[in-house]
Amino acid sequence: MSVRCQQSPVLAGSATLAALGALVLYLAEPSGYGKYSENLMPVAIRLPARAAWFLQELPSFAVPAGILAGQPSSLRGPPATVLLGLFCAHYFHRTFVYSLLTRGRPFPVVFLFRGFVFCMGNGLLQGYYLVYCAEYPAEWYTDIRFSLGIFLFILGMGINIHSDYILRQLRKPGEIIYRIPQGGLFTYVSGANFLGEIIEWIGYALASWSLPALAFAFFSLCFLGLRAFHHHRFYLKMFDDYPKSRRALIPFIF
């Protein structure tokens, strides 16, 4: 039985993402994991970082990949399949590579649950829209929005992965101390890893030219941008010799 596109849940999901992004900015508090977990959640039940990141990110890969795999091969036409493939590629890395390499602090279970629910909902929204609702003209591959969007996505993913590598090298296994990150875009901003991911999702939104992708890019900008701001402030307070020319998220600007 074929599934027809229902616009109401797509609009509702997109509006929810945008509202969550606006709420994050309004509250202006860092999410209580990583370096903020001890202050914000001192007595919370925690899981090891690797297990927590794996469980949290898994739905963002498994849900859209399952939707895509459930379609007859004759219906898996580009470019929507390419776009969903990029989405899945990002979360394949986050689920099966990043989670196994991270050296982060133990993760509060309450934030794991929130992240799991978010990833489940967003994975369903993006997968459902691209498989059942998206319609692209045959020439979309040559459209500047698609070409530029794919370029930005790949660029951002490269920045994100490289920045995560730099951060991992700051600690030996088992360490929880903080050092000043150096190299790559950390030369210019404190949140180079966040900047890379924001660029990814802006590229994804541009290439897909869809409301769900735009809403997710907006949420990512709000959530990760605020986290970069708090990271920058944390570094300035902790290190007297922190580079004064370094900005929080946007080189030379912010």
Side-chain angles (χ1 to χ4, degrees):
M1 182 177 66
S2 62
V3 178
R4 293 184 178 181
C5 172
Q6 300 293 327
Q7 291 292 342
S8 295
V10 172
L11 294 174
S14 301
T16 300
L17 274 179
L20 287 174
L23 180 63
V24 164
L25 286 185
Y26 175 76
L27 296 176
E29 292 291 336
S31 187
Y33 64 91
K35 56 174 59 69
Y36 311 107
S37 62
E38 294 298 328
N39 292 331
L40 297 178
M41 304 288 292
V43 295
I45 299 174
R46 289 171 166 79
L47 282 182
R50 292 181 177 181
W53 279 107
F54 174 82
L55 293 173
Q56 175 181 280
E57 303 293 286
L58 180 60
S60 285
F61 169 76
V63 171
I67 293 174
L68 187 60
Q71 298 306 300
S73 58
S74 60
L75 297 180
R76 297 177 197 162
T81 302
V82 173
L83 293 166
L84 191 54
L86 290 175
F87 184 89
C88 290
H90 170 89
Y91 281 106
F92 179 90
H93 176 265
R94 297 293 292 182
T95 303
F96 299 104
V97 180
Y98 173 83
S99 67
L100 299 180
L101 296 176
T102 185
R103 296 174 182 173
R105 289 174 175 269
F107 205 100
V109 171
V110 62
F111 286 101
L112 165 61
F113 177 75
R114 292 179 188 177
F116 181 91
V117 172
F118 176 87
C119 288
M120 177 79 74
N122 187 51
L124 180 61
L125 174 64
Q126 306 300 331
Y128 177 85
Y129 175 82
L130 285 173
V131 170
Y132 298 117
C133 301
E135 295 181 1
Y136 296 101
E139 62 273 14
W140 188 248
Y141 277 133
T142 58
D143 191 289
I144 185 62
R145 291 168 291 183
F146 182 84
S147 302
L148 180 58
I150 296 298
F151 170 77
L152 289 175
F153 184 93
I154 295 173
L155 174 65
M157 190 169 183
I159 292 171
N160 181 248
I161 292 173
H162 181 248
S163 300
D164 283 340
Y165 170 79
I166 291 174
L167 291 174
R168 281 198 305 274
Q169 303 313 302
L170 297 177
R171 289 177 178 169
K172 297 177 182 178
E175 284 188 335
I176 57 172
I177 62 173
Y178 292 99
R179 299 184 176 94
I180 299 175
Q182 305 284 356
L185 277 180
F186 284 112
T187 304
Y188 305 102
V189 296
S190 299
N193 51 330
F194 304 128
L195 176 59
E197 189 163 351
I198 289 170
I199 291 173
E200 267 189 90
W201 298 126
I202 290 175
Y204 171 74
L206 184 61
S208 63
W209 205 248
S210 70
L211 187 60
L214 177 61
F216 182 41
F218 174 74
F219 173 84
S220 298
L221 176 62
C222 296
F223 183 83
L224 298 176
L226 183 65
R227 197 156 179 84
F229 169 77
H230 284 292
H231 272 40
H232 185 66
R233 191 164 65 174
F234 174 89
Y235 285 133
L236 287 173
K237 289 181 179 179
M238 173 164 280
F239 301 106
D240 293 334
D241 59 341
Y242 197 72
K244 302 303 180 184
S245 62
R246 191 176 296 187
R247 296 293 183 256
L249 184 66
I250 304 173
F252 313 112
I253 299 175
F254 170 75

